[in-house]
Amino acid sequence: MDEKQLRYEFLSVSGESHPGLTFEEYRDSCVFLLFYQYLCLKYEDKLEECYRPGALVRMAIRGKLQIPSFLRFIEAASPFIHLADRHFQLTEFSFFKNLQKVQLLEKQKSYARFFRKLIKKIDAWDCHELLLEEYPRLFGELMGTFARMKKETYFSEELLSLYRMFFSETVKKPEAVFLPNFEYGLLLQAMMKEGQKDIKISGFEEHIGYREIFEILCDMKGIPRSGMTICSKEEWRGDALFDSIGIFMPEGVEGGTLIEAERQPRLVAETAGSIAKGELPFLLSALSFLREGGTMVAVVPGALLYREGRESQLRRYIVEEKNYLDTAMLLPDGMFQSTGQKEVLLLFRKGRKKKDVLFFDCGETEEFGEEQLRSILLAWRERKTIPGFCSAVTQEVIEENEFNLNLPRYITKTTHLSKVDVEARKKRIKEIDRELLEIEEKILMYKRDLEM
């Protein structure tokens, strides 16, 4: 099996049928079994044959692989895998604990059927050396596929490329990264340099399954656990500043609540009041963790650019008093699974010298290929104003607009008038008149034949 075929086989896992299981149950089953196989490959010389996937395959062939027997097998294998890799105990995974609680016989049968099918599939990947080498990349791609299957976690490759572009341009080598939500770890991969391991990662995530997926991804990439602080929001205590902060909160995703009350910017405490929960107050509280010279990129609903009331005061605080907002970009609907509400990408930089905001209107951009990204990057570097595409706007102009950041105020849509070939149109009119005359003559002929 070559690399291309292995990739096809590996990623086809996401398309396997799984009757009787929810999407989350199916995904967690795949993650657990694939990571178990990865550990077995990685520590093959330290594990006895009876604790490897082949033993589960033999049980499946003999018809002995049911949920109780599967649980007993993992309980027996887990201590030996833990001896080889001190970071992970399979019986401590949330998936395994949830599986122990499954009482419905039909659900147990559904799990068992899927286990038998998937275990046989992954055991057939007999290119162990190549598989172990490619596992981190393939597993990351698979998690991206799972993320794109759900509206709440949908990340298009074009959107990730924008995150990647702005972070790489503004933070040469991040030493500390903060993510309020880890989800499938896709955003972190867009914030880091390729192959980077000497990095501190911090943040909170309520979904324990996402935390575990993230820990697996970091382990496969060789990022030491000593550099990671991953927990629930209630447990998280931010006592550091970060080079990079990545946020993904489009329409339909909960806007978030203030991160730490004792570290809130003055205006959030004094002005926000009843809007302490929402996208804009959340962004301000996240900015309080940004190091001088650091970068925060966030995708949020476009409505926060122009909502009135107290949020206009928060925009003034961000734009004028702190000079944090560097770029606001309207994104096309095609980047998201939901339609209707427009989303924007906001680039914040702490300690910047320029006193302007660069607005981009990409709402009708059909794709973000290399050429489009290059155009955006060039305009961003040079702070260009290109009619209908982008506009560098001074803080004075924004103040005149009462800190309403709605893009139509700053970017005028260009109307392209096509040249009309008058002679060609006249010629076409004559042709139509002749065709009509022929039709009328045929109608008269039919009437005569029918004696009408």
Side-chain angles (χ1 to χ4, degrees), residues 74-138:
I74 297 298
E75 285 173 347
S78 184
F80 292 93
I81 292 177
H82 182 64
L83 285 172
D85 187 327
R86 298 285 182 178
H87 296 156
F88 294 99
Q89 181 76 271
L90 293 178
T91 53
E92 293 301 314
F93 273 79
S94 59
F95 169 74
F96 184 83
K97 292 179 177 179
N98 292 337
L99 200 61
Q100 289 177 310
K101 301 173 185 176
V102 175
Q103 299 296 327
L104 290 174
L105 185 59
E106 283 303 313
K107 181 66 75 174
Q108 289 188 1
K109 288 180 178 179
S110 297
Y111 270 117
R113 283 193 296 268
F114 181 66
F115 285 172
R116 289 193 290 269
K117 184 178 179 181
L118 183 58
I119 288 166
K120 290 177 183 178
K121 180 182 180 71
I122 64 178
D123 187 66
W125 301 335
D126 53 1
C127 49
H128 288 192
E129 204 169 302
L130 176 62
L131 180 58
L132 184 58
E133 180 185 341
E134 294 293 319
Y135 228 107
R137 181 177 64 84
L138 293 175

Side-chain angles (χ1 to χ4, degrees), residues 3-15:
E3 185 177 335
K4 185 177 181 180
Q5 187 178 359
L6 174 61
R7 181 177 182 274
Y8 173 80
E9 288 288 329
F10 198 102
L11 297 184
S12 68
V13 167
S14 63

Side-chain angles (χ1 to χ4, degrees), residues 32 42 59 61 64 70 103 117 119-120 127 138 140 153 165 168 184-185 189 239 289 342 349 444 451:
F32 186 84
K42 189 176 181 181
M59 290 172 63
I61 292 173
K64 295 183 178 181
F70 177 81
Q103 299 296 327
K117 184 178 179 181
I119 288 166
K120 290 177 183 178
C127 49
L138 293 175
T153 53
M165 181 183 74
S168 64
Y184 290 87
Q189 296 178 56
D239 56 358
F289 293 97
K342 291 291 185 181
R349 303 184 70 186
L444 289 173
E451 296 181 352

